[in-house]
């Protein structure tokens, strides 16, 4: 029996929230051209950065909420989402979060993890949501190469034949500057930033309180 899987992924977004509407347009266009098999969008880590004001104000929630709106299935939020922010998100996301406290997530025959497993089930494929040097599949563990922020996304095509997963091909796609922003994600980003500005004002007010 043959199965196919297309993995779309982002990495090292570093809080570039204004670029997400164009990134989503590019992801959606490519996803629409995939003719068969299962397609999953994931984030391999580094979505937020303390240098991005909205990340600092929200504890990393801003980018995670945006990724959720973009249909991201699983995201590595280790070191980008503080525990308080994770608790505030609660069960309000369709997106599954993995980090040091919750290092893996199993979905059917797929395992999403932040570190290589000690052992692997021969019927399962582990997708390592961590930024590496290159993309390769070894011992049923898929490693993903790092990307250049929100100006790129990765695509990996895998095939399972007679129960064995193989890497068919992979590519890194650059976002063309002329790519139009998706209006739905643009609206979501505006709302997220508005909420972040409000939180920043409240924090400033609390700081001024004796």
């Amino acid at each position: 029996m043959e199965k196919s899987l297309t993995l779309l992924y982002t990495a090292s977004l570093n809080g570039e929230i204004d670029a997400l509407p164009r990134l989503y347009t590019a992801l959606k266009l490519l996803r629409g051209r995939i003719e068969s098999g299962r397609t999953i969008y994931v984030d391999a880590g580094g979505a937020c950065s303390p240098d991005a004001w909205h990340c600092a104000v929200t504890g990393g929630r801003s980018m995670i909420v945006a990724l959720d709106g973009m249909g991201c299935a699983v995201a590595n939020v280790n070191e980008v989402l503080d525990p308080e922010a994770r608790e505030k998100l609660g069960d309000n996301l369709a997106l599954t979060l993995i980090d040091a406290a919750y290092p893996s997530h199993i979905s059917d025959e797929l395992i999403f993890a932040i570190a290589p497993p000690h052992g692997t089930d021969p019927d399962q494929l582990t997708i390592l949501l961590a930024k590496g040097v290159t993309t390769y599949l070894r011992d049923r563990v898929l490693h993903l190469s790092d990307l250049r922020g929100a100006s790129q996304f990765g695509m990996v095509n895998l095939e399972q034949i007679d129960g064995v997963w193989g890497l068919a091909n992979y590519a890194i796609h650059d976002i063309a500057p002329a790519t139009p922003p998706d209006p739905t994600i643009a609206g979501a980003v505006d709302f997220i930033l508005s909420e972040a500005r409000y939180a920043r004002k409240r924090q400033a007010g609390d700081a001024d309180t004796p």
Side-chain angles (χ1 to χ4, degrees), residues 8 18 35 50 60 66 96 100-101 103-104 111 129 133 149 164 184 192 195:
L8 303 176
D18 291 328
E35 296 180 354
T96 297
S104 65
I111 302 173
L129 295 188
V133 176
V164 179
T184 300
I192 292 166
E195 291 290 297

Side-chain angles (χ1 to χ4, degrees), residues 26-37:
L27 286 168
K28 187 167 64 173
L29 287 172
L30 181 58
R31 194 165 193 164
R33 294 198 294 267
I34 298 171
E35 296 180 354
S36 62

Side-chain angles (χ1 to χ4, degrees), residues 115-127:
H118 296 298
T120 57
D121 187 317
D123 295 326
Q124 292 182 311
L125 170 70
T126 296
I127 298 171

Side-chain angles (χ1 to χ4, degrees), residues 7-76:
L7 188 76
L8 303 176
Y9 77 94
T10 47
S12 298
L13 293 173
N14 295 323
E16 297 178 68
I17 197 167
D18 291 328
L20 296 186
R22 287 183 172 81
L23 172 60
Y24 181 72
T25 295
L27 286 168
K28 187 167 64 173
L29 287 172
L30 181 58
R31 194 165 193 164
R33 294 198 294 267
I34 298 171
E35 296 180 354
S36 62
R38 185 179 179 187
T39 302
I40 303 174
Y41 165 41
V42 297
D43 185 79
C48 246
S49 166
D51 295 332
W53 71 269
H54 55 87
C55 289
V57 167
T58 64
R61 282 181 293 137
S62 53
M63 290 294 287
I64 304 309
V65 171
L67 288 176
D68 185 53
M70 292 168 63
C72 185
V74 187
N76 175 0

Side-chain angles (χ1 to χ4, degrees), residues 19-201:
L20 296 186
R22 287 183 172 81
L23 172 60
Y24 181 72
T25 295
L27 286 168
K28 187 167 64 173
L29 287 172
L30 181 58
R31 194 165 193 164
R33 294 198 294 267
I34 298 171
E35 296 180 354
S36 62
R38 185 179 179 187
T39 302
I40 303 174
Y41 165 41
V42 297
D43 185 79
C48 246
S49 166
D51 295 332
W53 71 269
H54 55 87
C55 289
V57 167
T58 64
R61 282 181 293 137
S62 53
M63 290 294 287
I64 304 309
V65 171
L67 288 176
D68 185 53
M70 292 168 63
C72 185
V74 187
N76 175 0
V77 297
N78 201 32
E79 299 181 355
V80 301
L81 186 66
D82 66 42
E84 183 180 352
R86 200 186 212 284
E87 186 176 349
K88 285 181 179 179
L89 287 172
D91 298 323
N92 297 320
L93 301 176
L95 167 62
T96 297
L97 308 177
I98 59 175
D99 55 20
Y102 305 90
S104 65
H105 169 68
I106 300 175
S107 175
D108 299 326
E109 75 276 24
L110 303 176
I111 302 173
F112 300 91
I114 64 171
H118 296 298
T120 57
D121 187 317
D123 295 326
Q124 292 182 311
L125 170 70
T126 296
I127 298 171
L128 193 61
L129 295 188
K131 300 170 290 181
V133 176
T134 188
T135 296
Y136 64 96
L137 177 63
R138 181 183 298 159
D139 297 329
R140 295 180 293 279
V141 178
L142 177 66
H143 300 252
L144 301 173
S145 63
D146 199 1
L147 300 174
R148 202 170 55 243
S151 65
Q152 293 183 326
F153 68 91
M155 180 180 72
V156 183
N157 296 115
L158 301 120
E159 294 178 349
Q160 187 188 53
I161 302 175
D162 296 331
V164 179
W165 283 102
L167 177 60
N169 55 71
Y170 67 92
I172 294 175
H173 294 267
D174 294 314
I175 311 299
T179 303
D182 180 85
T184 300
I185 302 303
V189 166
D190 286 344
F191 177 77
I192 292 166
L193 290 178
S194 176
E195 291 290 297
R197 291 187 190 98
Y198 178 70
R200 183 169 60 179
K201 286 181 180 178

